[in-house]
């Protein structure tokens, strides 16, 4: 539930800075053991669209092959699927043939497969989430990007293969810091995946070093949870960023699956009360190609002022006439509108087949019951 709540809060408030992400497609990677006796080859799934945080059939998952040096060549030790649906972010092989993989592709620190240990024959030893490795308040203080948590790097097996040494980030006490203050080594027993002697003491030292950062993020966490519990109110000014955050959170409260997805915000820019040709084409493209970008559409004007509502509805009606009939059938489209504008939006988008959901800025939006229950549990 910790992971779900952290994703829930991501982007919700100006909670903390986060880097944007750019990922190259996963590729075949080869890793050598320190003594050069073992070689691990990881082949990503052919389908990189697989959900990174869900389990998939073994045949569709990333594949591993471990080989042992034999003379001038290599002899296969084992070959089989990994627990990662697409690919691990990084992997290592020990001097005695054990394997460890780290994180899911494009989702470091999230999900149940932050660390996965395999024995010398390929048997899965243990799968660990970040919450099983580190305390919740420590995780919240770690550096992060839009999709990933920077929890550590350059992990390695000990020379004898008996332990897996995790090089874990120490949160920075510098306000707004996007890099760790340093690293602490936390060891797992390679045969069981359990914490090795000295794990707790090393973690406690890192915790003490990062105490100011942990306390700071705890306050922000509590503020964010209070925001989630309270009815959602529209911003009182035309601040662009504040309206973006409001629209995203409104979608998440109104859509049953909104906590697992993000919408496509369409802040329509009006010229003399209408969308100009480039803006019109942008709206038509968004309506016409849900397969290209499956995110739910949320339409609002640039500054969300009531006088612009008529122009927004007229622009949607014109775009709907130019989009293929039924292009949004079975989908929900969200429009920022009052009572009068809501009926007009339904009529404007009727040709697309969309179910129009109004975001009414004049009325508080209650939090979903399951989110409130999750907040109470956490």
């Amino acid at each position: 539930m910790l992971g779900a709540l952290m994703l829930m809060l991501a982007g919700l408030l100006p909670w903390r800075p986060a880097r944007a992400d750019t990922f190259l497609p996963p590729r075949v990677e080869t890793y050598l053991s320190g003594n050069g006796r073992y070689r691990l080859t990881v082949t990503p799934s052919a389908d990189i669209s697989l959900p990174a945080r869900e389990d998939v059939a073994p045949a569709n998952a990333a594949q591993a092959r471990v080989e042992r040096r034999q003379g001038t060549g290599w002899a296969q030790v084992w070959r089989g699927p990994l627990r990662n649906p697409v690919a691990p972010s990084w992997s290592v092989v020990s001097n005695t043939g054990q394997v460890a993989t780290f994180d899911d592709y494009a989702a470091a620190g999230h999900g149940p497969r932050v660390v996965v240990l395999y024995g010398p024959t390929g048997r899965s030893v243990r799968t660990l989430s970040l919450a099983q490795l580190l305390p919740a308040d420590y995780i919240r203080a770690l550096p992060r990007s839009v999709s990933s948590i920077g929890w550590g790097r350059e992990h390695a097996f000990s020379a004898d293969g008996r332990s897996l040494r995790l090089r874990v980030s120490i949160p920075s006490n510098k306000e707004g810091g996007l890099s760790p203050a340093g690293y602490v080594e936390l060891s797992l027993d390679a045969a069981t995946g359990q914490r090795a002697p000295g794990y707790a003491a090393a973690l406690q030292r890192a915790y003490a070093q990062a105490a100011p950062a942990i306390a700071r993020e705890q306050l922000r966490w509590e503020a964010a949870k209070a925001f989630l519990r309270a009815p959602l109110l529209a911003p009182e000014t035309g601040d662009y960023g504040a309206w973006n955050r409001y629209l995203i959170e409104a979608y998440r409260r109104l859509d049953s699956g909104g906590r697992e997805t993000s919408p496509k915000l369409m802040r329509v820019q009006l010229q003399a009360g209408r969308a100009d040709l480039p803006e019109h084409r942008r709206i038509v493209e968004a309506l016409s190609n849900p397969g290209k970008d499956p995110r739910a559409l949320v339409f609002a004007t640039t500054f969300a002022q009531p006088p612009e509502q008529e122009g927004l509805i007229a622009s949607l009606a014109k775009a709907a006439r130019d989009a293929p009939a039924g292009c949004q059938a079975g989908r929900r489209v969200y429009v920022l509108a009052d009572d009068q504008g809501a009926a007009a939006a339904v009529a404007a988008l009727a040709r697309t087949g969309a179910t129009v959901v109004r975001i009414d800025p004049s009325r508080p939006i209650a939090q979903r019951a399951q989110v409130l229950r999750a907040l109470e549990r956490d």
Side-chain angles (χ1 to χ4, degrees):
M1 184 54 65
L2 168 68
L5 274 176
M6 294 188 75
L7 290 172
M8 184 186 298
L9 293 168
L12 183 64
L13 297 171
W15 184 43
R16 60 181 302 184
R19 290 180 290 247
D21 291 315
T22 301
F23 295 100
L24 295 173
R27 61 183 185 182
V28 176
E29 299 282 0
T30 300
Y31 307 89
L32 285 175
S33 62
N35 60 9
R37 291 185 59 199
Y38 287 89
R39 182 171 70 180
L40 164 67
T41 302
V42 175
T43 302
S45 169
D47 183 2
I48 65 171
S49 67
L50 289 170
R53 297 185 179 112
E54 297 179 13
D55 289 320
V56 300
N60 296 328
Q63 302 292 312
R65 184 176 72 250
V66 173
E67 300 165 293
R68 183 173 53 244
R69 184 172 289 280
Q70 192 172 74
T72 58
W74 296 91
Q76 180 172 298
V77 177
W78 65 269
R79 181 174 187 162
L82 295 172
R83 298 294 301 276
N84 308 89
V86 176
S89 293
W90 191 53
S91 307
V92 292
V93 59
S94 76
N95 289 339
T96 50
Q98 301 109 311
V99 167
T101 65
F102 306 101
D103 299 310
D104 277 314
Y105 169 72
H110 294 291
R113 295 172 293 271
V114 168
V115 176
V116 184
L117 271 165
Y118 300 85
T121 62
R123 180 183 63 86
S124 178
V125 172
R126 195 174 184 200
T127 301
L128 295 158
S129 66
L130 197 57
Q132 292 172 283
L133 297 169
L134 300 169
D137 53 356
Y138 190 99
I139 294 172
R140 287 194 287 270
L142 288 169
R144 66 192 58 237
S145 67
V146 172
S147 70
S148 302
I149 300 172
W151 68 275
R153 56 183 299 182
E154 298 178 1
H155 317 297
F157 283 101
S158 60
D160 60 9
R162 293 182 179 180
S163 63
L164 176 63
R165 296 171 176 173
L166 303 177
R167 190 166 178 261
V168 174
S169 302
I170 300 174
S172 173
N173 292 323
K174 180 181 178 181
E175 177 71 38
L178 293 175
S179 299
Y183 297 90
V184 60
E185 184 178 290
L186 304 178
S187 293
L188 300 176
D189 185 311
T192 65
Q194 300 296 322
R195 297 182 178 188
Y199 188 109
L203 179 56
Q204 188 58 42
R205 290 193 296 271
Y207 197 100
Q209 181 178 335
I214 293 170
R216 181 181 67 234
E217 297 307 326
Q218 182 65 25
L219 289 175
R220 289 176 173 163
W221 174 257
E222 294 300 332
K225 288 199 293 184
F227 177 89
L228 281 174
R229 292 188 181 102
L232 179 67
L233 303 177
E236 296 180 353
T237 70
D239 180 78
Y240 191 86
W243 275 98
N244 278 353
R245 290 188 290 272
Y246 167 78
L247 291 167
I248 292 171
E249 177 60 14
Y251 159 76
R252 288 174 172 168
R253 294 187 183 209
L254 294 171
D255 192 285
S256 60
R259 288 298 165 196
E260 287 73 46
T261 60
S262 293
K264 181 182 177 74
L265 292 187
M266 297 291 294
R267 302 295 301 277
V268 177
Q269 300 183 41
L270 302 177
Q271 305 292 335
R274 294 292 185 272
D276 61 15
L277 184 57
E279 192 71 349
H280 171 73
R281 288 172 175 167
R282 189 172 75 95
I283 300 170
V284 173
E285 172 71 15
L287 288 172
S288 301
N289 297 292
K292 184 177 179 181
D293 188 341
R295 291 177 295 172
L297 297 173
V298 176
F299 286 100
T301 53
T302 302
F303 298 105
Q305 297 300 317
E308 295 186 343
Q309 178 175 270
E310 182 180 343
L312 172 64
I313 302 303
S315 299
L316 291 177
K318 183 179 179 183
R321 289 194 294 271
D322 291 345
C327 56
Q328 291 285 324
R331 297 172 59 83
R332 291 155 66 99
V333 172
Y334 296 77
V335 180
L336 186 73
D338 60 20
D339 288 338
Q340 181 179 356
V346 170
L349 292 169
R351 185 173 181 276
T352 70
T355 298
V356 176
V357 180
R358 173 181 54 165
I359 298 176
D360 186 350
S362 69
R363 298 175 182 173
I365 303 175
Q367 185 56 268
R368 301 188 73 84
Q370 63 264 38
V371 174
L372 293 174
R373 289 193 294 269
L375 288 167
E376 291 305 314
R377 288 194 296 270
D378 284 88

